[in-house]
Amino acid sequence: MPAARIFVAGHRGLVGSAIVRRLAREAGADLLLRTRQELDLTDQAAVLDFFERERPDQVYLAAARVGGILANDTRPAEFIHENLVIQSNVIDAAWRSGVKKLLFLGSSCIYPKLAPQPMREDCLLTGPLEPTNEWYAIAKIAGLKTCQAYRKQYGFDAICAMPTNLYGPGDNFDLAGSHVLPALIRKFVEAVDGGATEVEIWGTGTPRREFLHVDDLADACVFLMNAYSDAAPVNVGWGQDVSIAELAGMVAEAAGYRGALRFDASRPDGTPRKLLDVSRIAGLGWSPRIALQEGIDATLRWYRQSGISPPK
Ligand code: GFB
């Protein structure tokens, strides 16, 4: 059988790079990768031209404008516009050029702010969204609905995975744009290296989040690409959550930080709890492997070696 030509859109990001690492272990995968300079996914004509020329068999749509609570809250136009344009261009061009299967990556923030926990896939559109990230959530809901519409009208095999909060090597550690876990790694490593006695944590520390290592997500994506074909989205999570204060304690210990934590309640907490119901993917036969403490230790080691924070 000839190797499947697989386009990973967004292969330099946290998720895309993990999917590439995972696919590198598959026999018969011919990877098709383009940097942003080589292919601007917001350029509809360029995207269509690329698909018509390269004719991939499968697409992992991991390209997106992403960020933590502050970036989402302060740059809503970028989050809604770029995500809508990128996903519309890629899904439409994939269908037009005869792609056999596409996997779209959404986010657990598509579910209502106060959805019953753990959140099942069918709680989508049953209540108001969390205001700090509703722009990103609306774009991701539109992506999911685009996949469902193309399946319904054209029979296009587009599937949707909804991951929980992700972390791992290659994450964004810029404190103005990052998610909480990379932010805490950076803050505690810099505190230890610089001898600081206090570290600031945003919000009250009481919100609860679920964290999944990105290598587990990548494994789930390849599993779904091979084993799942339906309009309904599939949650991908670890199955348990922790409070931000507990998470801070875990990262502090991993970094060897013994000083104080100062919670800054003037910063937004965001949604009070975000835990996915993962029974659908578990029923299909997939489960994650990398426990949170193990994943924190590995990501912290990666961060120290990356040179992002030079040791003092
Ligand atoms: O990870 P995070 O930025 O995003 O924040 P969300 C999670 C929680 O950690 C919030 C707190 O309650 C933050 O206030 N937190 C504490 C911090 N210290 C920090 C810090 O130094 N940096 C950051 N970033 N947070 C995002 C959405 O929501 O989750 C996106 O905005 C996306 O749309 C993503 O869905 C998965 O979990 O609140």
Side-chain angles (χ1 to χ4, degrees):
M1 222 173 61
R5 271 171 87 68
I6 305 176
F7 176 45
V8 181
H11 74 282
R12 291 218 164 142
L14 174 68
V15 172
S17 58
I19 291 174
V20 168
R21 285 196 298 277
R22 175 62 187 78
L23 287 172
R25 303 195 337 245
E26 292 277 290
D30 172 13
L31 294 188
L32 195 51
L33 308 172
R34 291 291 182 276
T35 63
R36 195 171 300 184
Q37 288 68 36
E38 290 163 344
L39 176 62
D40 175 2
L41 295 174
T42 66
D43 180 339
Q44 185 179 19
V47 172
L48 190 54
D49 182 61
F50 164 78
F51 272 88
E52 295 288 2
R53 252 185 303 113
E54 300 294 343
R55 303 254 161 205
D57 300 303
Q58 295 180 355
V59 176
Y60 290 85
L61 180 37
R65 161 73 59 185
V66 299
I69 192 165
L70 179 66
N72 268 269
D73 203 20
T74 52
R75 290 164 29 210
E78 288 169 45
F79 277 81
I80 195 162
H81 173 73
E82 288 178 32
N83 287 308
L84 284 173
V85 172
I86 289 170
Q87 69 205 23
S88 294
N89 287 348
V90 173
I91 296 167
D92 185 70
W95 165 67
R96 283 181 194 281
S97 64
V99 164
K100 296 189 188 74
K101 191 155 185 176
L102 177 145
L103 181 140
F104 172 71
L105 277 143
S107 165
S108 59
C109 69
I110 64 165
Y111 298 124
K113 176 184 174 89
L114 300 177
Q117 306 284 322
M119 300 182 289
R120 289 160 46 106
E121 289 88 348
D122 58 13
C123 75
L124 184 69
L125 296 174
T126 56
L129 297 164
E130 155 61 31
T132 54
N133 58 34
E134 65 179 318
W135 324 97
Y136 177 73
I138 291 279
K140 288 292 181 184
I141 293 169
L144 160 63
K145 289 292 166 191
T146 305
C147 289
Q148 291 177 339
Y150 277 60
R151 174 180 290 275
K152 183 176 156 86
Q153 186 172 347
Y154 305 132
F156 182 42
D157 195 358
I159 59 171
C160 303
M162 293 300 140
T164 193
N165 286 36
L166 302 167
Y167 70 96
D171 208 341
N172 172 12
F173 289 85
D174 166 14
L175 296 179
S178 73
H179 290 98
V180 61
L181 209 153
L184 293 180
I185 288 179
R186 180 173 197 147
K187 286 178 178 180
F188 287 123
V189 165
E190 291 186 351
V192 168
D193 290 353
T197 53
E198 188 178 85
V199 164
E200 183 197 280
I201 315 289
W202 294 355
T204 59
T206 58
R208 299 187 68 83
R209 295 288 184 275
E210 176 190 24
F211 296 94
L212 183 71
H213 193 283
V214 73
D215 287 344
D216 272 335
L217 173 74
D219 192 59
C221 289
V222 173
F223 171 83
L224 291 170
M225 181 65 89
N226 296 327
Y228 185 75
S229 176
D230 199 90
V234 183
N235 289 342
V236 187
W238 175 252
Q240 284 169 15
D241 59 0
V242 291
S243 72
I244 297 302
E246 286 164 344
L247 179 75
M250 292 172 84
V251 180
E253 193 176 320
Y257 173 77
R258 313 244 178 278
L261 307 184
R262 185 166 59 80
F263 290 92
D264 178 0
S266 70
R267 299 279 195 166
D269 270 343
T271 196
R273 192 173 184 204
K274 214 166 19 165
L275 175 64
L276 290 176
D277 181 313
V278 289
S279 43
R280 181 170 287 162
I281 196 163
L284 292 167
W286 185 87
S287 51
R289 296 197 190 94
I290 306 169
L292 182 54
Q293 189 67 64
E294 180 193 342
I296 290 172
D297 291 346
T299 307
L300 208 141
R301 276 197 302 278
W302 181 92
Y303 177 75
R304 280 198 175 280
Q305 283 163 10
S306 72
I308 295 171
S309 265
K312 294 228 167 61

